[in-house]
Amino acid sequence: MTTYSLLAEIQGTPPGVPPLLVTPGFVDAHIHPDKTSWGSGWLSRSPSPLLSDLIANDLHAQLAFDDDVESRAYALMKQAVLNGTMSMRAHVDVATQLGLNNIHGVRAAADRLAPFLEVQIVAFPQFGLLSNPGTFDLMEASLAEGADLVGGIDPASVDGDLHGHVDAVFGLANKHGRDVDIHLHDTGSEGLRQLRLLAQRTVAEGMQGRVTIGHAFAVCDPQEPELPATLDAMGEAGMWMATCALGADPVPDLQLLARHGVKVALGSDGVRDAWSPFGTGSMVDRMHLLGYRTGALTDADLERCFGIATTAGAELVGSAAVRSFSGASSKDRLEFTANSIPELVVNRPGPLRVIRDGQHISL
Ligand SMILES: [Zn+2]
């Protein structure tokens, strides 16, 4: 099993002075900064028993915001930076109802934070890709206007055309040489069937290691008889799973996924948007939630959560800032009051200092 305890360094301090733990930065591998109400007053939410209700509420809320995408995204991304996030993968809506406004807004916010935050943008067809005519063309256009990856959403249950959706996503990705990151909420054998299909397609396209599945709730049920074979297929395809350890949703057995070679990264998902009143944009909080929701007990369990939030995420997004960490003298690092990584995960303090390119940043 991988351990992560060498990825942080305790600084010797005089008696009576709190211990200083120096760590690499965090990676938020799945966040939606375009939808957030952060910095824009409180957003009240409607009951949403179905996924379709949540999606409809989301569009209604986005069209009703007083503050534009750039200002809300900037407020949330700045909050993330001050809490130690150095890289993020942002899923940003592309739809005929929104045009490329969200892509432009998040990219503008990212440009303002460029010295402190690496940002990948996934073009995300939240309101349907094939079922929302015109979205496919906008998705392709977004790749020339700030989007880095091609996203997707529940090809069968939301978009209503499993093979058409998968063809469209992989077709765009291959045509433009981009990676893929697909939301898949579907559970049970149907969700697992789609995951095996996506794994087959990943291998057929030669895209091993370049496809991520967001949420992938289907892999969180250990009772499903097809789970081991599905995880093997995902592992052989080098597929990633991005989990967000959300309160009401299932979480994966991290050890089981590791045994099958499925890599896991961690993200915030929606923060204070129409989908959820929760979220802080802090990956310290998020790794704590991952540990809590997965029943972390031993130091190794807690260190795994830290590793997923830092080095694993950095491998997924290719974060130079996080991957370059080599100890207390690294130019890009975080400093915390903590005795150890397990204590950091449980206590979830904010960083004392965020150091970028050798400078203590303040925003
Ligand atoms: Zn998401």
Side-chain angles (χ1 to χ4, degrees):
M1 187 177 67
T2 308
T3 59
Y4 301 93
S5 55
L6 297 178
L7 296 175
E9 193 167 319
I10 292 279
Q11 292 293 282
T13 49
V17 176
L20 189 68
L21 182 71
V22 185
T23 78
F26 289 92
V27 177
D28 191 326
H30 185 123
I31 188 171
H32 294 265
D34 55 328
K35 302 176 188 291
T36 190
S37 64
W38 199 272
S40 185
W42 184 250
L43 174 68
S44 297
R45 292 151 189 90
S46 306
S48 306
L50 302 173
L51 181 61
S52 56
D53 296 327
L54 284 160
I55 291 173
N57 288 343
D58 180 14
L59 181 60
H60 177 78
Q62 289 198 48
L63 295 174
F65 278 127
D66 289 330
D67 297 319
D68 63 18
V69 173
E70 180 183 338
S71 60
R72 289 181 289 104
Y74 180 83
L76 177 58
M77 292 155 78
K78 173 181 163 184
Q79 171 76 2
V81 167
L82 292 174
N83 282 279
T85 296
M86 293 188 184
S87 294
M88 67 169 52
R89 178 175 284 184
H91 289 257
V92 179
D93 290 359
V94 174
T96 49
Q97 297 91 333
L98 303 166
L100 297 181
N101 188 48
N102 291 22
I103 297 283
H104 294 155
V106 173
R107 183 49 72 198
D111 287 346
R112 290 163 64 188
L113 289 165
F116 316 115
L117 185 67
E118 303 160 340
V119 179
Q120 287 185 338
I121 292 180
V122 183
F124 177 45
Q126 172 76 76
F127 306 106
L129 177 54
L130 304 178
S131 59
N132 190 8
T135 300
F136 180 85
D137 291 339
L138 283 169
M139 289 275 289
E140 182 156 33
S142 76
L143 299 175
E145 300 201 28
D148 303 296
L149 286 87
V150 180
I153 181 168
D154 293 296
S157 60
V158 171
D159 219 24
D161 183 350
L162 172 59
H163 294 283
H165 188 101
V166 172
D167 285 347
V169 168
F170 279 87
L172 266 187
N174 258 343
K175 181 177 176 185
H176 296 277
R178 307 303 176 93
D179 291 1
V180 164
D181 196 327
I182 298 178
H183 281 65
L184 188 67
H185 304 86
D186 291 334
T187 56
S189 60
E190 175 56 25
L192 293 175
R193 183 176 76 90
Q194 294 180 53
L195 286 167
R196 292 194 298 276
L197 183 138
L198 289 163
Q200 278 175 5
R201 186 62 177 259
T202 298
V203 173
E205 301 275 0
M207 291 185 66
Q208 290 93 330
R210 296 175 52 201
V211 175
T212 303
I213 307 297
H215 302 310
F217 295 141
V219 305
C220 301
D221 184 355
Q223 303 305 319
E224 280 292 336
E226 293 163 325
L227 181 60
T230 305
L231 292 176
D232 283 342
M234 293 175 70
E236 285 162 16
M239 290 167 77
W240 285 80
M241 176 197 182
T243 190
C244 299
L246 302 173
D249 294 321
V251 289
D253 178 332
L254 300 173
Q255 259 184 310
L256 177 68
L257 266 62
R259 281 205 300 275
H260 287 270
V262 178
K263 297 178 182 178
V264 178
L266 181 67
S268 294
D269 204 26
V271 177
R272 313 275 173 105
D273 58 18
W275 295 72
S276 173
F278 291 98
T280 61
S282 161
M283 288 304 294
V284 181
D285 286 347
R286 190 57 48 182
M287 77 172 170
H288 172 93
L289 290 169
L290 180 66
Y292 184 79
R293 289 292 325 280
T294 56
L297 177 67
T298 65
D299 286 359
D301 293 338
L302 294 163
E303 286 168 358
R304 182 187 298 112
C305 295
F306 172 83
I308 287 171
T310 54
T311 49
E315 181 186 346
L316 173 63
V317 304
S319 169
V322 179
R323 297 181 92 180
S324 67
F325 181 83
S326 59
S329 60
S330 297
K331 289 170 69 177
D332 297 304
R333 66 185 190 271
L334 306 176
E335 296 178 1
F336 292 94
T337 299
N339 284 293
S340 67
I341 290 172
E343 187 183 282
L344 176 73
V345 176
V346 171
N347 282 354
R348 61 178 191 274
L352 284 174
R353 280 175 291 278
V354 177
I355 314 288
R356 297 305 311 267
D357 198 22
Q359 303 292 317
H360 173 202
I361 69 166
S362 59
L363 286 166

